[in-house]
Every structure is written in C-alpha cells, then in structure tokens.
Amino acid sequence: MKAWEHFKTITRHKIYVMKGCFRVGLYRQGLLHDLSKYSPTEFLVGCKYYQGGSRSPNNGEREATGVSLAWLHHKGRNRHHFEYWIDYGLGPDKQMAGMKMPVNYVVEMYVDRVAASKNYQKENYRDDSALNYFLKGRGNYLMHPETEELLERLLRMLAEKGERTTEEYIRREVLRNRKEKRG
C-alpha cells in the first residue's frame, strides 16, 4: 500500500510541475522533471520511508540512517536543485560555493517549490506557502546570490500577485531575456 501511495504522491507532484512548466514555456523540462524519482534508488527508499504524503520520505531516511542516499542520488541528477550546482569556488580558499544556475533551471526550481507546497499542503496551500518555506530555510542555503535573488523575487511575486501574474512575468520577462542574451 505504501508503494502505491508513494507512486501517487510523486506522480501528482510531477503533474503539478509539468503543468507549471508548460504554462511558462518549459515543455522539455516539464516532461523530464524528476524522472529519477521512479528509479529503484529513489523509489524503493520513498516507499520504505513514505510519510503519508505530508512530507518527503527523504527526511524519514535521513532521520533513520543519518543520510538520505535517495536525496544524494536525486540532487545529483536534477539540475533544478541548487544543490546540484555546489562546487569548489574559484577563490584562493577554494571553499564550497553555490554556482550561478541557468535561468531556465531557476524557473523550474520555482515551479518545483510551488508544486511541492501544493502537493504536501493540499487544501492548506496558499500563494505564500512556497515563500514561507524558502524564508524558513534562509541562511542554510549554499546558493549563488543571483540565483537566490531571482528565486526569492519569483516567490514574493507569487505571494503578492498570484500564480498567473507570476507565470506571465516569467514567460514575458525572465525567460524572454534569457533567450535574447543567447541570440
């Protein structure tokens, strides 16, 4: 039963992300989002530590074993996670640092956070849910300042102006500017 419930949870999340990515024009990313969650490395752990659909099974694995191997697998294969972009810095101290993420992955990260909030909070979801979660973790992120600024700007816009206005802004300004810089 846990396997079926976990499957439904991750599939519902994937559908939320797919719809959100499609609305902003990230069709390929919407289709390919989080496919690694269906791999044995992630799926079997997700079934074992299923949290009733209210929180990530990765937290359960981390609490039980001290590390989430499923999360390490996941974040190393999905570029929309800022953790994917952590590397040694270029400074003389070579400290670990968050690298600047390409804008399309920052947008997918925004969509992912909104979808996760909807998926886990269900009827308690509000447009400020993803922003509140982000702010609660602030100071713990090893994220490039420009990446963090864009993500926070999008989450604040969502909280203040709603999903449709934010998606329109992403389509017309954030992703359009990215395309103009390349061409």
Side-chain angles (χ1 to χ4, degrees), residues 36 38-45:
S36 69
Y38 298 94
S39 71
T41 302
E42 295 179 38
F43 187 77
L44 296 175
V45 169

Side-chain angles (χ1 to χ4, degrees), residues 13 17 21 26 29 33 78-85 99 101-116 130 134 141 143-144 146-152 154-155:
H13 171 75
V17 173
C21 282
L26 295 177
Q29 285 174 244
H33 180 83
N78 293 279
R79 295 177 181 191
H80 64 277
H81 289 290
F82 71 89
E83 296 91 344
Y84 178 95
W85 299 92
M99 302 294 120
M101 290 174 63
V103 171
N104 60 311
Y105 293 118
V106 179
V107 170
E108 186 181 356
M109 177 168 52
Y110 157 82
V111 173
D112 183 53
R113 286 168 176 255
V114 173
F134 170 80
Y141 302 129
M143 194 182 302
H144 189 278
E146 289 180 47
T147 298
E148 187 172 11
E149 185 278 325
L150 176 56
L151 177 61
E152 183 174 349
L154 297 176
L155 293 172

Side-chain angles (χ1 to χ4, degrees), residues 4-5 24 41 56 59 81 97 108 110 132 136 140 143 147 152 154 160 162 167 177-178 180 182:
W4 175 243
E5 293 303 317
V24 298
T41 302
S56 172
N59 292 330
H81 289 290
E108 186 181 356
Y110 157 82
N132 292 335
K136 191 168 53 170
N140 297 318
M143 194 182 302
T147 298
E152 183 174 349
L154 297 176
E160 295 167 9
E167 290 169 349
N177 290 339
R178 172 187 66 108
E180 289 174 0
R182 268 200 250 157

Side-chain angles (χ1 to χ4, degrees), residues 10-59:
I10 63 175
T11 302
R12 185 173 46 251
H13 171 75
K14 183 165 177 27
I15 290 169
Y16 281 144
V17 173
M18 186 175 61
K19 288 178 178 179
C21 282
F22 284 9
R23 287 193 300 266
V24 298
L26 295 177
Y27 302 104
R28 184 174 191 272
Q29 285 174 244
L31 289 171
L32 299 177
H33 180 83
D34 277 357
L35 288 178
S36 69
K37 285 187 178 181
Y38 298 94
S39 71
T41 302
E42 295 179 38
F43 187 77
L44 296 175
V45 169
C47 294
K48 181 175 181 177
Y49 295 102
Y50 181 69
Q51 306 282 306
S54 61
R55 65 192 283 252
S56 172
N58 295 340
N59 292 330

Side-chain angles (χ1 to χ4, degrees), residues 94-140:
K94 304 282 191 242
Q95 277 191 318
M96 299 297 281
M99 302 294 120
K100 185 176 177 184
M101 290 174 63
V103 171
N104 60 311
Y105 293 118
V106 179
V107 170
E108 186 181 356
M109 177 168 52
Y110 157 82
V111 173
D112 183 53
R113 286 168 176 255
V114 173
S117 293
K118 288 178 178 179
N119 203 23
Y120 288 127
Q121 294 183 353
K122 297 175 180 57
E123 65 278 346
N124 295 321
Y125 171 81
R126 299 182 336 213
D127 282 341
D128 65 348
S129 294
L131 174 64
N132 292 335
Y133 185 81
F134 170 80
L135 294 174
K136 191 168 53 170
R138 173 169 261 148
N140 297 318

